Amino acid sequence: MKIYNADRTPLNIIRIITAVLTAVIIILCRIIIPFLTLMIVLISVFSATGIILIFFYFPAMFRNLEFYVGENTVKKMHGVFFRREQTINISSVQYITTAVCGLEGFCFIILNVYGGIMILPFLSHKNFRAILHELEHDVIRR
């Protein structure tokens, strides 16, 4: 069984996007809301939410995202507050869909199985090719 972790490269991009969106929301609160007390409360809430997401939630999300690829199963472990596990048998995979892998770390593999899907997000190019090669070999073989 091989263990793959999420690539941490997109973490900084997601942090920057979150910081920009938080700043835009705070500026809009300042411009649009005429009541001083409500404006201060909303700015405080959005600022705290942005800080928590940027410095605590997103790093924990990337740290806890793991993929296990065995001979017969694929397992995804994820979750920040509660660890969740999703396991599928490779024999039940109908087909494999891949997202465009333009930026490092933004490679996604979507496994379509009977009754659902499993998404393997934020893979590096190396892990993306290794997992895809192994899964395609097993899916085509049957």
Side-chain angles (χ1 to χ4, degrees), residues 3 13 15 26 34 45 48 60-61 72 98-99 112 117 122 128 134 138:
I3 301 172
I13 296 170
R15 282 177 166 174
I26 289 171
V45 167
M61 181 182 74
N72 299 322
T98 58
N112 297 287
I117 62 171
F122 303 117
F128 175 78
E134 188 170 337
D138 291 338

Side-chain angles (χ1 to χ4, degrees), residues 38-104:
L38 180 61
M39 178 187 63
I40 291 173
V41 168
L42 287 176
I43 288 174
S44 301
V45 167
F46 288 125
S47 298
T49 303
I51 289 170
I52 289 170
L53 285 175
I54 291 170
F55 293 110
F56 300 108
Y57 184 78
F58 292 143
M61 181 182 74
F62 275 85
R63 185 175 48 252
N64 293 331
L65 187 58
E66 297 175 335
F67 313 107
Y68 300 94
V69 179
E71 290 182 20
N72 299 322
T73 61
V74 176
K75 184 188 302 186
K76 178 172 103 172
M77 301 284 289
H78 60 100
V80 175
F81 301 112
F82 302 102
R83 293 283 289 174
R84 290 174 289 202
E85 177 181 320
Q86 184 179 8
T87 305
I88 63 168
N89 289 327
I90 294 176
S91 62
S92 65
V93 174
Q94 291 177 315
Y95 57 93
I96 300 169
T97 308
T98 58
V100 178
C101 192
L103 293 172
E104 179 68 30

